[in-house]
Amino acid sequence: MKLELSKPFFTQTLSILGVGLIGGSLAQALKRANAVGHIIAYDQNESALASALAMQVVDQIETDLIKAVTNADIIILATPITEMGAIIKIIYPHLKDKAVISDVGSTKGSVVAAVQAALGFLPQRFVPAHPIAGTEKHGVENSFASLFDQRRVLITPHIENNHEAVTMIHSMWQAAGALTEEMGIKHHDQVLAATSHLPHLLAFSTVDTLANLDDRAEIFRFAAGGFRDFTRISTSDPNMWADICIQNQESLLEVLHQYQKKLSLLENALHNKDKQTIFEVFRRAKHARDNFYNET
Amino acid sequence: MKLELSKPFFTQTLSILGVGLIGGSLAQALKRANAVGHIIAYDQNESALASALAMQVVDQIETDLIKAVTNADIIILATPITEMGAIIKIIYPHLKDKAVISDVGSTKGSVVAAVQAALGFLPQRFVPAHPIAGTEKHGVENSFASLFDQRRVLITPHIENNHEAVTMIHSMWQAAGALTEEMGIKHHDQVLAATSHLPHLLAFSTVDTLANLDDRAEIFRFAAGGFRDFTRISTSDPNMWADICIQNQESLLEVLHQYQKKLSLLENALHNKDKQTIFEVFRRAKHARDNFYNET
């Protein structure tokens, strides 16, 4: 479902919990659009807070969670996904009545479950969301206002959600330049396991396999441009990605299993010098990739 | 071993058998350097020949192999690797005495074995080589003069090689803008299995796995930039890559086996929600990748 906006989005006070690449870029994108009056940032990392303030990405910084949220109209959880349950438990009693909470986590089932477990219920005004944007770089220093331009934000409402709250999160992300769509929570996790979590796991695996070979120094020296592209995502934050993999365990194991079956098929074909089987896999892959991106 | 040139390289007549991306780019690079008097191109594909002539990439086109080589001082095999044995068998009796033959194949053990099998011996003036350059695009239409600039060309001499012939191939590639190095044949195949052949096989496998899922249309729609980079090499020529995999069967199976062990380790860790194991693999990979490329 795509929502069209009738009037420009504006929120008076936005609180961003965690100012890294995503939190920092969201702040900049909303400021660019004049869509926010005042932005408060909370982070455990004081130097990230200092950078965010120095970069004028945010207007106020707080190391106290509760102070960071009491005046907020919208609260965005942009911390590691593993911390979101604990944070919502702390802040929830201190929020304004109509405050809307959302998050930017890469997994949705585990975040919703953590919130449910932390509070014992799912707040009507907690709207799970996931901006599909980012780079392999992290930190507020690498944030920029156009990160979400024309990128998709998946909003995955839960059954208790208030419609106005969901609409507000659509509007906020659209003001930030993104295209918003809704998707089921489980479906989101399956799709992202395939397109994001599996590729990251495979890129990390490839580089670590090569880094353990005897002639690793030469191996990297003689790598060409294709290898550089293929392994770029392995420069992503290893801690964040280990968390994401575990938090999306079920869907990731499912698609990993499909992938291992494909690899075994190719291994057997290679053993038997069965070119036709190898060619068919490669041909179908090229066809699918060419069809979905029209890169020239 | 790196060779330094004492005087500029020049060859009167160069014959390129197969004018695709590599053959066409080599022709352009040598013309740019005024390193060649006359370039003859042979190809089975007459439209490729016509394009090469129209683009002024070559000076003469031939559909007859023997006519293409009788006057040549250097002959470059730039055909599919599976055809190189048959071609050298046809052309060898018709070459000038001092003519030097080289190739651009991505595998070296199989090419040398094919030449040995075709002729019954290894010619002193056949110098196996492999320019580590290319793009996922193919065909002479995509060729360009700077493709090899600062790229490595691996020269893998065999035990019968004539020193002057090997030196000439170094000089030719240096004139084309490349950095040349020598490497053992088997070692070349192991290094390339790890850095090129395995990544291609994995990229094709990933895309084909996703393309077989029920929600494949959505899956590609929600893929982000990381996925695009990770799968770019799956747009490469599937026929050429199926050949390369089979021609480098032994080394590729070896590194594929290492990779599958790494995947099984991660699969088990994921099953057990063992974050430490996953994190360690990801961390080592990031460290290795960051160390070898200083991308900012």
Side-chain angles (χ1 to χ4, degrees):
Chain A
M1 183 178 73
K2 294 187 189 182
L3 293 185
E4 294 301 325
L5 282 180
S6 49
K7 53 178 181 175
F9 169 84
F10 184 82
T11 191
Q12 182 50 46
T13 304
L14 178 78
S15 175
I16 296 179
L17 309 184
V19 278
L21 175 71
I22 300 294
S25 296
L26 176 60
Q28 292 187 57
L30 292 175
K31 278 182 177 283
R32 180 188 63 174
N34 295 313
V36 60
H38 186 78
I39 302 181
I40 306 165
Y42 161 85
D43 206 294
Q44 292 183 332
N45 178 344
E46 294 191 28
S47 88
L49 284 180
S51 294
L53 196 62
M55 290 166 73
Q56 299 183 300
V57 164
V58 301
D59 305 300
Q60 179 185 341
I61 56 177
E62 290 293 346
T63 54
D64 181 315
L65 254 183
I66 293 166
K67 280 188 194 158
V69 300
T70 44
N71 290 319
D73 302 298
I74 298 179
I75 299 96
I76 303 295
L77 303 173
T79 63
I81 47 181
T82 49
E83 298 172 16
M84 290 180 179
I87 287 176
I88 210 165
K89 185 167 177 138
I90 294 169
I91 65 173
Y92 195 74
H94 303 278
L95 301 181
K96 294 204 291 193
D97 275 0
K98 295 263 181 166
V100 172
I101 319 162
S102 189
D103 78 305
V104 299
S106 296
T107 65
K108 299 273 55 87
S110 71
V111 169
V112 170
V115 169
Q116 165 83 48
L119 298 178
F121 64 95
L122 280 174
Q124 293 179 14
R125 293 175 174 275
F126 164 62
V127 182
H130 176 206
I132 305 190
T135 71
E136 64 280 6
K137 292 161 198 148
H138 55 94
V140 67
E141 300 77 11
N142 290 307
S143 68
F144 55 99
S146 62
L147 177 61
F148 308 110
D149 286 358
Q150 299 297 309
R151 299 306 187 93
R152 292 176 199 280
V153 174
L154 293 176
I155 296 173
T156 61
H158 57 74
I159 50 168
E160 306 292 344
N161 260 143
N162 168 278
H163 179 67
E164 188 195 32
V166 174
T167 303
M168 190 180 290
I169 297 305
H170 274 277
S171 302
M172 182 195 75
W173 280 110
Q174 289 173 23
L179 308 168
T180 62
E181 290 194 44
E182 290 186 15
M183 193 182 265
I185 291 171
K186 175 70 185 163
H187 191 193
H188 167 278
D189 287 353
Q190 290 170 330
V191 168
L192 271 289
T195 54
S196 175
H197 311 166
L198 178 71
H200 277 81
L201 184 142
L202 302 181
F204 284 121
S205 301
T206 304
V207 176
D208 192 40
T209 300
L210 270 51
N212 282 299
L213 298 178
D214 293 335
D215 43 0
R216 55 187 167 277
E218 282 203 336
I219 276 172
F220 287 102
R221 252 180 87 219
F222 295 112
F227 181 80
R228 180 179 279 231
D229 281 349
F230 182 74
T231 59
R232 181 165 290 115
I233 52 179
S234 74
T235 64
S236 303
D237 180 354
N239 187 58
M240 182 178 94
W241 280 98
D243 281 340
I244 290 171
C245 289
I246 286 176
Q247 297 289 313
N248 199 17
Q249 182 201 41
E250 190 184 319
S251 297
L252 182 53
L253 279 173
E254 239 168 69
V255 69
L256 178 58
H257 182 66
Q258 295 301 319
Y259 175 76
Q260 286 170 310
K261 274 167 57 180
K262 186 77 61 183
L263 272 195
S264 295
L265 173 83
L266 286 172
E267 188 190 14
N268 284 334
L270 201 48
H271 253 299
N272 301 325
K273 298 201 171 184
D274 168 9
K275 178 178 167 182
Q276 196 55 33
T277 297
I278 298 173
F279 172 71
E280 275 305 314
V281 170
F282 289 9
R283 186 193 62 74
R284 285 197 308 260
K286 177 178 171 55
H287 179 76
R289 177 65 168 64
D290 284 347
N291 267 8
F292 282 97
Y293 298 104
N294 291 311
E295 289 183 347
T296 52
Chain B
M1 184 178 76
K2 293 185 187 180
L3 293 186
E4 294 300 326
L5 279 180
S6 49
K7 54 180 182 175
F9 170 84
F10 184 81
T11 191
Q12 182 51 45
T13 304
L14 178 78
S15 175
I16 296 179
L17 310 184
V19 277
L21 174 71
I22 301 294
S25 295
L26 175 60
Q28 291 186 55
L30 292 175
K31 277 181 176 284
R32 179 187 64 173
N34 295 313
V36 58
H38 185 77
I39 301 182
I40 306 166
Y42 161 86
D43 207 294
Q44 290 182 332
N45 178 342
E46 293 192 27
S47 87
L49 284 181
S51 294
L53 197 61
M55 291 166 72
Q56 299 183 300
V57 164
V58 301
D59 305 299
Q60 178 185 342
I61 56 178
E62 289 294 344
T63 53
D64 182 314
L65 257 181
I66 294 167
K67 281 187 192 160
V69 300
T70 43
N71 290 318
D73 301 298
I74 297 180
I75 299 97
I76 303 295
L77 302 173
T79 63
I81 45 180
T82 50
E83 296 172 18
M84 290 179 179
I87 287 176
I88 210 164
K89 184 166 177 139
I90 294 169
I91 65 173
Y92 195 74
H94 303 276
L95 302 182
K96 295 205 291 193
D97 274 358
K98 295 262 180 166
V100 172
I101 318 164
S102 188
D103 79 305
V104 299
S106 296
T107 64
K108 299 271 58 84
S110 71
V111 168
V112 170
V115 169
Q116 165 84 48
L119 298 178
F121 64 96
L122 281 174
Q124 294 180 13
R125 293 174 173 274
F126 164 62
V127 182
H130 176 205
I132 304 190
T135 72
E136 65 278 6
K137 294 160 199 149
H138 55 94
V140 67
E141 300 77 13
N142 290 306
S143 67
F144 56 99
S146 62
L147 177 61
F148 307 108
D149 286 358
Q150 298 299 307
R151 299 309 187 90
R152 291 176 198 280
V153 174
L154 294 175
I155 296 173
T156 62
H158 58 74
I159 49 167
E160 307 291 345
N161 261 144
N162 169 278
H163 179 67
E164 185 193 35
V166 173
T167 303
M168 191 181 287
I169 297 305
H170 274 278
S171 303
M172 182 194 76
W173 280 110
Q174 290 173 22
L179 308 169
T180 62
E181 289 194 43
E182 291 187 15
M183 191 181 266
I185 291 170
K186 176 69 185 166
H187 192 194
H188 167 280
D189 287 354
Q190 289 169 331
V191 168
L192 271 288
T195 53
S196 175
H197 311 164
L198 178 72
H200 277 81
L201 185 142
L202 302 181
F204 284 121
S205 299
T206 305
V207 176
D208 192 41
T209 300
L210 272 50
N212 282 300
L213 298 177
D214 291 338
D215 43 1
R216 55 186 166 277
E218 283 202 334
I219 275 172
F220 287 103
R221 251 179 88 219
F222 296 112
F227 181 80
R228 182 180 279 232
D229 281 350
F230 182 74
T231 58
R232 181 165 291 115
I233 50 178
S234 74
T235 63
S236 303
D237 180 354
N239 187 58
M240 183 178 94
W241 280 97
D243 280 339
I244 289 171
C245 289
I246 287 178
Q247 296 289 315
N248 199 16
Q249 183 203 40
E250 191 183 319
S251 297
L252 182 54
L253 279 173
E254 240 169 69
V255 69
L256 178 58
H257 182 65
Q258 296 300 321
Y259 175 78
Q260 286 170 310
K261 274 168 58 181
K262 186 77 60 185
L263 272 194
S264 296
L265 173 84
L266 286 172
E267 187 189 14
N268 284 334
L270 201 49
H271 253 298
N272 301 326
K273 298 202 173 185
D274 168 8
K275 179 178 165 182
Q276 197 53 35
T277 297
I278 298 173
F279 172 71
E280 275 305 315
V281 171
F282 289 10
R283 186 193 61 73
R284 285 197 308 260
K286 177 179 170 56
H287 179 76
R289 177 65 165 67
D290 284 346
N291 267 8
F292 282 98
Y293 298 104
N294 290 312
E295 289 184 347
T296 51

